[in-house]
Amino acid sequence: MHVLMVAAENDALPNAKVGGVADVIRDVPKALVAQGLTVDVVIPDYGFELGERCFIGEVSVAFKSETHVLSLFEIPQNQKGVRQIVISHPLFSQSLSVYCNDNDNGPFATDATKFALFNAAICEALIQGVLTQPNTLHLHDWHSACVAVLLKFNPRYGKLAKLRLVYTVHNLALQGIRPFKGDDSSLEAWFPSLSYDGQRLCDPRYPHCFNPMRSAINLADKVHVVSPSYSQEVQIASNDAHGFFGGEGLERDLQQAAEQGKLIGILNGCDYAIQDEHEATYSQLLEQIESTLFSWMAKSAQLHSSHYIAHQRVLQFMACDKQGPLVTSVGRLTEQKVLLLCQQQSKDLTIDSVCQIINQFKGRLLVLGSGDSKLEHLFTCAMARNNNFLFLKGYGQGVGDLMYQLGDLFLMPSSFEPCGISQMLAMRAGQPCLVHSVGGLKDTVEHNVSGFCFNGDTLSTQADALLQSLTEALSLYQTNPKQWQAIKRRAADARFSWDSVVTDYITYLY
């Protein structure tokens, strides 16, 4: 069996990772090949240095009433059975980044146009034989959804119309919504001669808009979400005021997919290859943090307040020995990840209350991540208020690895989590996790067995439950080391292997 995967990210290639989808696109092909399949993986060429590349061919694409020529290259890898392919065009590499940040007046506009052209090139490469026609075409997130639209509605691709389509939803909160027409970045601007069924492609909340994610959900043969619990949650309407994030407007389509036997929940996996056995120390972590901070500072002529305060905090931590627990968190700063930490708690925010509880146990909180600028500022201010809190605005692989290895308790209070990878990485290193019991977190962390879980019916009760669970977990850490070690061992022994995941892929998706 041959599978073609189409995505926006791929951590098998340099700099092509932003989120967890890149880990999936890196790991799943290797695991599928181990089961006897062959896999081609295709992403845009964002202009990064990729080393050696082998020209495959080029395609001419009708896009926005013009003809565009795009080139396909294979990036040689030492992975038998997996081909890593990029498609090159100036539109893809103009910003030297995977995604662009448009203003609120034109959300997704630049990226939507970029990925629409990329998707059109995929279809042309298949029909022209530049890409090998697969048994299964596996599309990932909204960035690849236009492939399904073109294959189903453009007569040019009639020979491919029956190609088996699998669509994976990694993040239902990002749907790539754009107008049908009347905008430079719209479905009819990209493909002016396309006849389509607007009822199947429109956004349920904004009928005049094209919703790529809904389109792929309705057009695919199988719809995959990345944990069993999340597959149930997405069939329920979101209620933001009560802290529940489910179908995000697409619950009826996902209910229908479930009724048709199309909706499948399969948990993502984690790589359990032999890890570096070197025993790191807390001092080495602080030294690595300082070095990483210096590298971030050097990138700009102006010193950011977050980096300055963080460095002062590192010096403070270096001056006195660690006594209590080290609580860690690694991830993107988005509302999904930290909304609960931003809730008002009398005079303070939840993040302040978290720091105060940790301080009661003489502990420290380390948070590594970047994202929403408003949230970055909020966390910087919280760091300034709490002398046991170190917020590192950015991402450094070395720092993250040491935080997983050396942390005592990993904090992941996501408001929703389709699967999550950070909790798996922390558990792999033997660090128990404190998680909101939703989605993939619910499916990976067992309360008082391999970690700690909390829940609640509103944002307020969820925040209160988080603080109570944190207090209980740190009390256990301090008063019952034998039970704590047992929880650490069970966290480290938990296995969510890609081998079992791709067996389910083959059985239920392919």
Side-chain angles (χ1 to χ4, degrees):
M1 180 185 292
H2 180 60
V3 176
L4 173 62
M5 290 199 171
V6 182
E9 302 180 34
N10 180 7
D11 195 40
L13 300 179
N15 301 307
K17 173 180 177 176
V18 174
V21 61
D23 298 325
V24 175
I25 303 302
R26 176 197 66 208
D27 293 338
V28 165
K30 293 183 291 185
L32 286 171
V33 166
Q35 298 287 341
L37 283 68
T38 58
V39 184
D40 289 349
V41 182
V42 188
I43 68 168
D45 179 1
Y46 298 110
F48 303 128
E49 178 55 51
L50 300 175
E52 182 184 356
R53 56 174 64 201
C54 301
F55 179 72
I56 297 176
E58 63 182 29
V59 292
S60 296
V61 176
F63 186 74
K64 298 185 74 171
S65 301
E66 297 179 353
T67 298
H68 295 257
V69 178
L70 299 92
S71 300
L72 285 77
F73 299 91
E74 180 178 353
I75 311 302
Q77 303 276 307
N78 295 321
Q79 292 182 351
K80 187 176 180 181
V82 180
R83 296 176 75 210
Q84 306 289 352
I85 299 169
V86 296
I87 299 182
S88 295
H89 186 274
L91 186 62
F92 305 158
S93 56
Q94 62 183 0
S95 64
L96 287 177
S97 63
V98 176
Y99 304 121
C100 302
N101 293 316
D102 293 315
N103 61 43
D104 293 339
N105 293 326
F108 303 112
T110 302
D111 281 343
T113 297
K114 174 173 69 182
F115 290 117
L117 175 59
F118 169 63
N119 288 190
I122 295 289
C123 296
E124 279 299 319
L126 285 170
I127 201 71
Q128 295 179 31
V130 179
L131 285 174
T132 303
Q133 186 170 325
N135 303 101
T136 297
L137 179 55
H138 193 156
L139 310 177
H140 294 266
D141 266 347
W142 74 265
H143 318 91
S144 62
C146 276
V147 171
V149 174
L150 292 171
L151 291 184
K152 296 300 183 182
F153 290 110
N154 190 332
R156 175 172 173 77
Y157 308 120
K159 293 181 180 179
L160 303 173
K162 293 185 178 180
L163 191 63
R164 184 171 182 81
L165 290 181
V166 173
Y167 183 63
T168 293
V169 177
H170 295 275
N171 190 346
L172 195 63
L174 299 176
Q175 300 175 12
I177 301 168
R178 296 300 303 151
F180 275 116
K181 59 184 178 180
D183 191 282
D184 187 58
S185 179
S186 63
L187 183 64
E188 292 189 14
W190 305 327
F191 311 112
S193 61
L194 183 69
S195 296
Y196 58 85
D197 181 356
Q199 292 300 314
R200 302 177 75 185
L201 309 188
C202 71
D203 185 89
R205 297 155 296 186
Y206 313 104
H208 62 287
C209 286
F210 164 59
N211 187 316
M213 182 165 282
R214 178 175 184 248
S215 302
I217 289 171
N218 287 331
L219 298 175
D221 297 294
K222 292 288 183 178
V223 179
H224 165 226
V225 295
V226 290
S227 71
S229 289
Y230 193 60
S231 72
Q232 300 301 312
E233 294 169 4
V234 296
Q235 297 180 56
I236 305 170
S238 299
N239 188 333
D240 297 12
H242 285 83
F244 177 76
F245 301 87
E248 296 294 276
L250 303 184
E251 55 275 357
R252 290 186 179 179
D253 298 281
L254 291 160
Q255 290 167 12
Q256 186 177 47
E259 291 167 0
Q260 296 171 348
K262 285 175 42 175
L263 181 63
I264 308 294
I266 302 174
L267 189 71
N268 282 339
C270 182
D271 186 357
Y272 292 94
I274 297 176
Q275 305 300 308
D276 186 359
E277 298 295 332
H278 174 70
E279 284 290 336
T281 66
Y282 181 64
S283 295
Q284 289 173 330
L285 169 60
L286 294 179
E287 291 169 2
Q288 179 68 55
I289 289 173
E290 184 177 47
S291 175
T292 302
L293 277 169
F294 285 158
S295 69
W296 293 344
M297 293 176 188
K299 291 180 180 179
S300 173
Q302 294 181 324
L303 178 61
H304 295 285
S305 60
S306 59
H307 294 157
Y308 173 77
I309 299 171
H311 186 243
Q312 294 300 304
R313 188 57 39 80
V314 170
L315 296 177
Q316 174 192 328
F317 284 1
M318 286 178 168
C320 53
D321 293 336
K322 172 181 174 291
Q323 294 180 314
L326 179 63
V327 180
T328 66
S329 185
V330 179
R332 292 277 294 165
L333 277 195
T334 63
E335 279 206 347
Q336 172 197 351
K337 302 289 187 180
V338 301
L339 179 61
L340 289 182
L341 295 176
C342 302
Q343 296 304 298
Q344 193 72 39
Q345 293 274 328
S346 62
K347 296 181 180 180
D348 300 320
L349 299 179
T350 305
I351 182 65
D352 295 293
S353 299
V354 165
C355 292
Q356 290 160 17
I357 290 171
I358 295 171
N359 197 49
Q360 292 172 13
F361 296 88
K362 299 181 179 180
R364 295 169 177 175
L365 173 63
L366 266 64
V367 174
L368 172 66
S370 61
D372 185 288
S373 58
K374 294 179 181 178
L375 294 174
E376 290 175 347
H377 180 67
L378 185 147
F379 270 57
T380 298
C381 292
M383 173 170 58
R385 293 192 299 267
N386 298 277
N387 61 14
N388 67 335
F389 178 24
L390 171 58
F391 166 52
L392 301 168
K393 190 186 77 172
Y395 185 74
Q397 185 72 39
V399 173
D401 290 344
L402 288 174
M403 286 173 64
Y404 287 126
Q405 183 179 348
L406 294 170
D408 295 303
L409 179 67
F410 191 84
L411 186 62
M412 198 164 175
S414 306
S415 291
F416 67 95
E417 195 62 66
C419 176
I421 183 64
S422 295
Q423 85 279 16
M424 294 183 187
L425 298 176
M427 293 171 72
R428 184 182 69 181
Q431 182 177 181
C433 299
L434 193 164
V435 304
H436 187 189
S437 188
V438 292
L441 300 177
K442 182 178 180 179
D443 292 337
T444 50
V445 180
E446 190 174 354
H447 185 55
N448 279 339
V449 176
S450 60
F452 308 92
C453 306
F454 68 90
N455 219 323
D457 295 330
T458 67
L459 287 171
S460 177
T461 58
Q462 289 167 16
D464 290 342
L466 161 61
L467 298 176
Q468 180 179 347
S469 187
L470 176 63
T471 302
E472 292 172 354
L474 295 182
S475 295
L476 183 67
Y477 169 86
Q478 186 179 73
T479 62
N480 196 334
K482 184 176 180 180
Q483 185 178 352
W484 186 268
Q485 289 302 317
I487 291 174
K488 281 176 60 70
R489 286 194 299 271
R490 286 191 287 266
D493 290 342
R495 286 294 180 270
F496 312 99
S497 73
W498 282 116
D499 290 339
S500 60
V501 171
V502 296
T503 298
D504 286 344
Y505 269 41
I506 296 167
T507 302
Y508 299 110
L509 301 180
Y510 298 166

